[in-house]
Amino acid sequence: MQIFLSFCLKIWPLYIYIIMGYFGGRLFKIDRQSIASLLFYFIVPFVFFNVALNVKIQPCYLFLPLICFILCISLCFIYLYFAGKLWKDGKANLIAFAAGTGNTGYFGFPLALMLFDEHQVGIYMLGNIGFSLYDYTVGAYIITRGTYTKKQALHKVMRLPMIYAFILGLTLNYLGFKLPSEVSHFAQHLRGAYIVLGMMIIGLALANLEAYKIDYKFLACFLSAKFLAAPMIVLSIITLDQNVMHIFEGNEFIYKIMILLSIVPPAANTVVFATLNKCHPEQAAAAVLAGTVLGMVYVPAMVTWLI
């Protein structure tokens, strides 16, 4: 219980950022579209370029982003199939996108800093790349298909700079390139901006809600992916690896990283993508808020139990 309460206290600043975003939107009419674009096209690419450039890669570590990417795609298409039978107005695409991702960056990254050492945080971010690749490829395509044609959706996906920044970072990492210390300090500042603005996006989106009309069927379907399906599948993968595959044998801390990646609340990126693509952003914000509030108890409980 002491560990649970201690961890609850450590994550409260993340919720303060949401509140700041809400009042910033309500009182000062801060434009969420501009913040979303700033994150997508400038801050996120540089943050993941820096991670790809500095991570120390061992062969078995490369399986982690691959496993995460496959997990995301599987959840996405499972929920797209079932949600598609209930909604025909883009909500199915929104739920499918949200099912395959999680707040592994804006929310999970600070948690990783609390739980793991510097090397393990780097491996966490490598796993996070699997989620991010899903966000900006398959996930982006699925949610844009709720609003755009196939050709338009593919065009929007190919314009996302994070993909190219990640590839460039890995290439320079392989060649042994290092950033000057001054640039590294700049990268640390951007990492903080990435966390703060990412959480504030949720509050900014909520500030534009005219009424809090809860669609309980939509909410239940939305949240079941993150709080039920994802952890169950990850625990099954861990059991399979421990008893059959032995991919991460000798690196069991990766199991804890996988668990953390699977138990974070719904992704704030869901609100960003829904906003950019005009795909029910208010519904997305309300569902993400509900998941983030639920995460105040759920995440510390799961960390105490499993990590």
Side-chain angles (χ1 to χ4, degrees), residues 126-186:
L126 188 63
N128 187 26
I129 286 167
F131 280 80
S132 297
L133 287 176
Y134 160 81
D135 284 355
Y136 294 94
T137 55
V138 177
Y141 176 78
I142 291 296
I143 197 169
T144 53
R145 282 293 291 124
T147 308
Y148 300 98
T149 66
K150 290 181 180 180
K151 184 177 180 180
Q152 289 172 323
L154 283 172
H155 179 67
K156 289 179 74 68
V157 170
M158 293 307 297
R159 291 176 56 197
L160 294 170
M162 180 269 175
I163 300 171
Y164 308 106
F166 172 64
I167 294 172
L168 178 61
L170 282 182
T171 302
L172 294 177
N173 187 338
Y174 177 77
L175 295 174
F177 178 81
K178 296 295 180 183
L179 290 174
S181 59
E182 294 81 5
V183 180
S184 296
H185 290 310
F186 174 70

Side-chain angles (χ1 to χ4, degrees), residues 48 82 102 132 172 221 244 305:
F48 282 92
F82 288 107
S132 297
L172 294 177
C221 188
V244 180
W305 178 34

Side-chain angles (χ1 to χ4, degrees), residues 220-238:
C221 188
F222 188 98
L223 296 181
S224 67
K226 289 311 305 168
F227 294 131
L228 293 176
M232 290 174 61
I233 293 174
V234 165
L235 289 174
S236 299
I237 292 171
I238 291 172

Side-chain angles (χ1 to χ4, degrees), residues 14 16-22 24-25 30 32 35 39 106 193-206 268:
L14 302 179
I16 295 297
Y17 301 147
I18 297 175
I19 295 171
M20 289 170 59
Y22 177 82
I30 297 174
R32 64 180 177 181
I35 300 296
L39 273 169
Y106 309 138
Y194 166 74
I195 295 170
V196 173
L197 292 179
M199 296 304 292
M200 288 182 69
I201 278 286
I202 302 173
L204 287 171
L206 289 168

